[in-house]
Amino acid sequence: MNEPDFITLTIGKQKSIALIAHDSKKRELISWCEEHKEELKKHFLCGTGTTARMITDQTGLPVKGYNSGPLGGDQQIGAKIVEGKIDFVVFFSDPLAAQPHDPDVKALLRIAQVYDIPMANNRATADFMITSSFMNESYDHNIINFKKNIKDRANTL
């Protein structure tokens, strides 16, 4: 039987949204969350440690916290994407500041791309995404059929 190269996954009506911000962008993300609070209330929210705590404390939105980014939080979020438990990422990154955990950040960006997860890395993109009609409906997207990919690779090595 010939397996397809891609499989279709569905992002449900209620999204699981990861909220992440570098230190210099935390205030901006909190402000964005406050501005979009009514929409965000409809979804499950999680984030890296300090960011999650600050959003909850300052907006009242319930945000499940993982470790802070430098302590593995970005990798935890990436693992949840792989497990199919995160559908959407808002990551206000600071392009002008060096980050000690930059390889982890790049790995998170890469895994979001591999799994075709919507990801905003600045306020403008986040505004477009949160106001999209897709926020309140299911969305089908295609990703690589990883089982077939592994099988094909194993057969060629």
Side-chain angles (χ1 to χ4, degrees):
M1 184 171 123
N2 214 2
E3 291 183 68
D5 290 333
F6 294 90
I7 58 172
T8 301
L9 296 180
T10 301
I11 296 173
K13 187 174 180 175
Q14 184 182 36
K15 316 288 185 270
S16 180
I17 302 172
L19 301 167
I20 308 166
H22 286 146
D23 288 350
S24 63
K25 298 287 185 172
K26 288 186 188 330
R27 297 270 171 237
E28 184 178 1
L29 181 58
I30 292 164
S31 170
W32 182 85
C33 288
E34 188 64 46
E35 184 178 323
H36 296 286
K37 191 173 184 174
E38 291 309 308
E39 182 62 37
L40 291 170
K41 281 181 185 177
K42 301 175 189 174
H43 306 282
F44 171 77
L45 307 175
C46 65
T48 50
T50 309
T51 303
R53 175 68 183 264
M54 290 176 73
I55 292 169
T56 296
D57 288 350
Q58 295 180 37
T59 70
L61 289 165
V63 183
K64 175 182 172 46
Y66 293 102
N67 287 353
S68 68
L71 298 177
D74 299 322
Q75 291 184 347
Q76 287 179 299
I77 299 286
K80 294 296 179 191
I81 291 171
V82 172
E83 293 170 10
K85 295 182 178 168
I86 291 181
D87 308 309
F88 191 100
V89 177
V90 176
F91 187 166
F92 283 14
S93 61
D94 184 350
L96 302 177
Q99 303 296 327
H101 62 296
D102 194 52
D104 299 339
V105 172
K106 286 188 172 129
L108 174 59
L109 297 173
R110 183 182 133 335
I111 211 70
Q113 282 185 292
V114 168
Y115 283 83
D116 196 32
I117 297 297
M119 183 169 195
N121 64 353
N122 59 40
R123 189 180 197 113
T125 308
D127 285 343
F128 273 78
M129 286 172 42
I130 198 82
T131 59
S132 166
S133 61
F134 291 122
M135 282 306 296
N136 293 301
E137 59 186 63
S138 295
Y139 177 80
D140 291 336
H141 61 127
N142 293 324
I143 66 164
I144 295 168
N145 182 342
F146 294 103
K147 287 183 182 178
K148 179 183 185 298
N149 181 273
I150 290 168
K151 182 177 157 189
D152 291 350
R153 283 180 43 86
N155 288 334
T156 62
L157 298 176

